[in-house]
Amino acid sequence: MQALVLRGKEDLVCREEPVPRPGPGELLIRTKAATICTSDINDIKYNHFGIQTPMIMGHEAAGIVEEVGPQVSGFAAGDQVCTHPVMPCGKCGACRDGLHHLCGDMEHLGLNRGGAFAQYFVIRADRARKKPQGVSFAAASLVEPISVCLEAIHRGNVRKGGSVLIMGDGPFGVICSRLLKGFGVGQVIVAGHHPFRLEMTGASTICKDQGEVVEKEIFRLTQGRGVDTAILCVGSGTAVNTAIAVLRPRGTLSVFSAVEPAPAINLFRVHVKELNICGSCNDEDLLDQAVQVLESQPGDFEDMVTHRLPFSQWREAFNLAVNGKDQALKVSLLFD
Ligand SMILES: [Zn+2]
Ligand SMILES: [Zn+2]
């Protein structure tokens, strides 16, 4: 099969690889669509996670069950499925505590297990779901980003009628903003830099700057009260401090992005406003909810996949995902 293989930093190539075999409890999937994630781009550029190369990349994918491994029930060859790349071990301390998504020994497509930028990939059957009818494979590839964005919203204590500030207009900022429609939130404000992407958020209110300008604007928009929740969807220290400045007393910051270098934050404000700062990473069993969302608001996710290119044009696809911030949001590779 043809696959995109990371051979080392900034060295991604398309080459022939053997088709993987499904083990017990696993499915072999014929890939139909795989979307490029910001983390793929970072893995290729920096390899923060220390991926052992060579590794087939790609973790957001949907396709058709080609072969069912031993001890699998509920799936048959020909089923159209969407998949979640995180496969918890079920044995470590975090797993035993019920925090499977924070497993210290997880397997993850494209990180420590062959990924989905390939004509075929293997996934554990418990991490696959039937694709809702009427949703394209490209949009169905978004179930994992949708799951993790739902987690960021839950961790942010988002409440009916409350106000939410999303910091950042990348794919996660846009997905969070669209998901919030289903939470009955009173006010969604998105702060970002890219007019095209801000438009894509569909939020009623957008802020085009950073720092003090955003602070003043948010206090104006909330009649001086500040926001109930801020979701950090950008790796910027300035954004962290803006969020801390504009949260109302007892407000919550959901830290949904790596921030490097580590920012100096104003803990005095955290202290006097009794703020909650919490992390958000992966998702606590939100795959089924993500599939439901995809089924109930498919239009929101179809048009988020702004570009669908044949697998053979993978270089162009990555170029769009890296450099196309004024025209591209999620870029999908399509397979025959
Ligand atoms: Zn991803
Ligand atoms: Zn575990």
Side-chain angles (χ1 to χ4, degrees):
M1 67 174 187
Q2 293 286 301
L4 296 187
V5 176
L6 185 70
R7 295 192 301 192
K9 263 188 208 171
E10 307 211 51
D11 184 14
L12 187 69
V13 294
C14 185
R15 73 181 193 193
E16 195 67 21
E17 287 285 319
V19 174
R21 304 290 313 151
E26 295 178 338
L27 302 170
L28 175 67
I29 308 295
R30 180 159 65 86
T31 315
K32 291 296 287 177
T35 38
I36 298 172
C37 175
T38 309
S39 72
D40 294 316
I41 295 165
N42 290 332
D43 291 341
I44 294 164
K45 204 166 172 194
Y46 307 107
N47 195 7
H48 287 309
F49 291 104
I51 296 169
Q52 300 284 312
T53 55
M55 177 63 66
I56 300 174
M57 302 292 294
H59 60 268
E60 299 176 359
I64 298 173
V65 175
E66 177 80 11
E67 195 184 329
V68 177
Q71 298 154 38
V72 173
S73 58
F75 289 99
D79 284 345
Q80 302 190 346
V81 293
C82 39
T83 60
H84 193 302
V86 172
M87 289 168 274
C89 76
K91 295 176 204 145
C92 72
C95 283
R96 277 187 276 118
D97 287 342
L99 299 171
H100 298 95
H101 64 303
L102 303 178
C103 172
D105 199 19
M106 69 173 65
E107 292 190 289
H108 194 297
L109 291 188
L111 282 183
N112 57 7
R113 199 175 151 133
F117 291 148
Q119 289 174 299
Y120 296 90
F121 67 99
V122 165
I123 189 84
R124 236 166 54 189
D126 62 312
R127 307 306 285 153
R129 294 291 184 276
K130 303 262 169 69
K131 178 177 79 64
Q133 281 184 347
V135 175
S136 70
F137 285 103
S141 305
L142 300 179
V143 284
E144 183 256 358
I146 293 171
S147 300
V148 297
C149 286
L150 285 169
E151 174 88 359
I153 291 169
H154 289 309
R155 294 283 289 161
N157 289 326
V158 167
R159 293 179 313 187
K160 254 199 165 115
S163 54
V164 181
L165 168 66
I166 295 171
M167 306 295 292
D169 56 13
F172 281 160
V174 175
I175 294 175
C176 284
S177 172
R178 292 187 175 201
L179 286 172
L180 283 168
K181 286 182 188 175
F183 283 76
V185 167
Q187 189 176 31
V188 178
I189 306 168
V190 182
H193 286 300
H194 307 93
F196 166 76
R197 291 181 159 191
L198 285 168
E199 178 93 2
M200 290 288 287
T201 65
S204 52
T205 316
I206 55 181
C207 289
K208 288 188 183 152
D209 265 299
Q210 271 201 32
E212 277 177 47
V213 181
V214 171
E215 289 182 25
K216 279 196 191 124
E217 182 62 6
I218 287 161
F219 281 118
R220 188 185 69 76
L221 290 165
T222 55
Q223 288 80 47
R225 187 168 171 270
V227 291
D228 298 308
T229 296
I231 303 176
L232 187 75
C233 298
V234 63
S236 142
T238 307
V240 176
N241 278 305
T242 302
I244 288 171
V246 302
L247 278 166
R248 67 158 172 84
R250 287 267 174 102
T252 302
L253 171 62
S254 174
V255 179
F256 183 38
S257 175
V259 186
E260 284 186 81
I265 64 169
N266 188 332
L267 281 175
F268 181 72
R269 277 179 166 157
V270 176
H271 166 55
V272 297
K273 293 203 282 184
E274 293 196 355
L275 299 180
N276 304 304
I277 299 181
C278 65
S280 174
C281 190
N282 293 327
D283 62 279
E284 194 176 353
D285 293 329
L286 293 170
L287 178 54
D288 289 313
Q289 193 183 343
V291 173
Q292 273 167 26
V293 165
L294 201 54
E295 196 161 19
S296 63
Q297 49 182 109
D300 277 316
F301 300 100
E302 292 290 355
D303 84 330
M304 206 178 282
V305 186
T306 52
H307 295 76
R308 301 169 193 224
L309 284 80
F311 181 51
S312 59
Q313 291 177 32
W314 63 274
R315 283 188 192 279
E316 197 182 332
F318 272 85
N319 189 35
L320 265 170
V322 174
N323 301 311
K325 294 201 166 86
D326 296 321
Q327 51 168 317
L329 193 68
K330 289 299 278 189
V331 179
S332 177
L333 296 170
L334 300 183
F335 298 72
D336 295 332

